[in-house]
Amino acid sequence: MGIVRKTKGVTTILKFFNQKGEATSVVHLIDLLKDKMNKTTVYRILDRLEHDGIIHSFNGKDGLKWYAKSIGCSADQHLDEHPHFQCTKCDKVECLPVEVKIPTIKNHKIDSTNILLLGKCEACSD
Amino acid sequence: MGIVRKTKGVTTILKFFNQKGEATSVVHLIDLLKDKMNKTTVYRILDRLEHDGIIHSFNGKDGLKWYAKSIGCSADQHLDEHPHFQCTKCDKVECLPVEVKIPTIKNHKIDSTNILLLGKCEACSD
DNA sequence: ATATTTTCGCAACTTTGTTGCATTAACAGT
DNA sequence: ACTGTTAATGCAACAAAGTTGCGAAAATAT
Ligand SMILES: [Mn+2]
Ligand SMILES: [Mn+2]
Ligand SMILES: [Zn+2]
Ligand SMILES: [Zn+2]
């Protein structure tokens, strides 16, 4: 189930994603909010926000779970099919508003993609 | 460091990859070999084999670590830049011998890619 | 055969994420 | 504004994946 009650925690996390704009790992968010709410609560609020299409999740390098704000999604329509970029130096992640063409694979029905590009971000390039 | 001594454990895991051919999650391999060797040993042998370019690793869905045999790689040259397919029903993973064109991203130097395609495999399609 | 040093097993630990349950707090209805 | 319902939270305990340190065992070099 998605968000039903607008609790203090929900408001806090919503504000975070609206202000910050950037993607965040769950680990980082838990640490950031450790004085305000329990980690279980963070996980559960993120679940509900994703269910409602307000944020979307993906796996960064090392398999860590990340979240970022969604645009144009709802509980019915999750159309966040975009690749992500992660810097191997500073670990920052960006949602990439581009389309990656996936070749058709014989005898395989592809439902979704999970594309992570690794490299150096602008700030970390030398 | 890579493989220096050809131990029983190394031989067992090498044989596994040569015979089976398919990709395997570390978790599965540990379970399969639980009577023959310790999980720490499995992790360490996989590390060394990957370092030597004999196998390669990637993250499957839920961020789990998987390994598969490499072709044409060495300790110096790791050129396993291919996407992977994972079935959402039976969890099976396949290395895909295709090339995915990644558009250039302004101000970003992309060093490697991590592409996981999710869907139904041939056996699981209805 | 013996010495050297890599590799292994084991136990303990870390990190990420989940579950159950009692308590708290939204909020709908009056 | 008060009250009842139930969603949401905190907490503690747990689970799974993966790592570390160290003494013992097993490869391999001499
Ligand atoms: Mn995104
Ligand atoms: Mn592969
Ligand atoms: Zn960077
Ligand atoms: Zn399947």
Side-chain angles (χ1 to χ4, degrees):
Chain A
M1 210 196 310
I3 295 288
V4 175
R5 296 183 182 182
K6 193 146 190 179
T7 64
K8 245 168 116 176
V10 169
T11 308
T12 304
I13 290 183
L14 267 181
K15 190 156 68 179
F16 172 84
F17 279 106
N18 284 328
Q19 286 184 354
K20 163 130 171 169
E22 272 174 36
T24 319
S25 71
V26 180
V27 172
H28 177 237
L29 196 59
I30 287 171
D31 184 61
L32 202 80
L33 302 174
K34 63 171 175 288
D35 296 326
K36 290 191 179 151
M37 69 187 88
N38 190 269
K39 70 169 174 172
T40 310
T41 305
V42 175
Y43 278 111
R44 294 200 268 225
I45 290 176
L46 291 172
D47 265 357
R48 281 180 273 144
L49 289 177
E50 177 168 39
H51 177 279
D52 287 350
I54 296 167
I55 58 178
H56 63 281
S57 71
F58 52 94
N59 291 105
K61 71 189 170 74
D62 310 315
L64 268 209
K65 198 161 195 186
W66 287 66
Y67 280 92
K69 203 177 163 180
S70 286
I71 299 164
C73 293
S74 67
D76 309 309
Q77 284 208 317
H78 291 255
L79 19 83
D80 281 276
E81 203 73 6
H82 56 261
H84 294 95
F85 174 89
Q86 183 161 24
C87 178
T88 50
K89 200 172 173 191
C90 72
D91 278 2
K92 195 177 77 172
V93 170
E94 292 171 52
C95 294
L96 297 177
V98 301
E99 216 195 317
V100 176
K101 259 271 192 313
I102 301 297
T104 53
I105 316 291
K106 210 180 169 182
N107 294 324
H108 294 254
K109 200 189 157 301
I110 294 170
D111 297 321
S112 64
T113 64
N114 198 324
I115 301 179
L116 185 67
L117 309 181
L118 296 162
K120 295 263 173 60
C121 78
E122 189 171 10
C124 291
S125 307
D126 8 282
Chain B
M1 209 196 313
I3 296 287
V4 176
R5 297 186 180 180
K6 192 147 191 178
T7 63
K8 243 170 120 176
V10 169
T11 308
T12 304
I13 290 184
L14 268 180
K15 190 156 67 179
F16 172 84
F17 279 107
N18 285 328
Q19 287 185 353
K20 163 129 173 171
E22 272 173 37
T24 319
S25 70
V26 180
V27 172
H28 178 236
L29 197 58
I30 287 172
D31 184 61
L32 203 81
L33 302 174
K34 64 172 176 286
D35 296 326
K36 290 190 178 152
M37 69 187 87
N38 189 270
K39 70 168 175 174
T40 310
T41 306
V42 175
Y43 277 111
R44 295 199 269 225
I45 290 176
L46 291 173
D47 265 357
R48 280 180 275 143
L49 289 177
E50 178 168 39
H51 177 278
D52 287 350
I54 296 167
I55 58 177
H56 63 282
S57 71
F58 53 93
N59 292 106
K61 73 189 168 77
D62 310 316
L64 270 209
K65 198 162 194 184
W66 286 67
Y67 281 92
K69 204 177 164 179
S70 285
I71 299 164
C73 293
S74 67
D76 309 310
Q77 284 208 317
H78 292 253
L79 20 82
D80 280 277
E81 202 73 8
H82 56 262
H84 295 95
F85 174 89
Q86 182 160 24
C87 178
T88 49
K89 200 172 170 189
C90 71
D91 277 2
K92 196 177 77 173
V93 171
E94 293 171 52
C95 293
L96 297 177
V98 302
E99 216 196 318
V100 176
K101 261 271 192 311
I102 301 297
T104 54
I105 315 291
K106 210 179 170 182
N107 296 324
H108 294 253
K109 201 189 157 300
I110 294 171
D111 297 322
S112 64
T113 62
N114 198 324
I115 301 179
L116 184 67
L117 308 181
L118 296 162
K120 295 264 173 59
C121 78
E122 188 171 10
C124 292
S125 307
D126 8 281

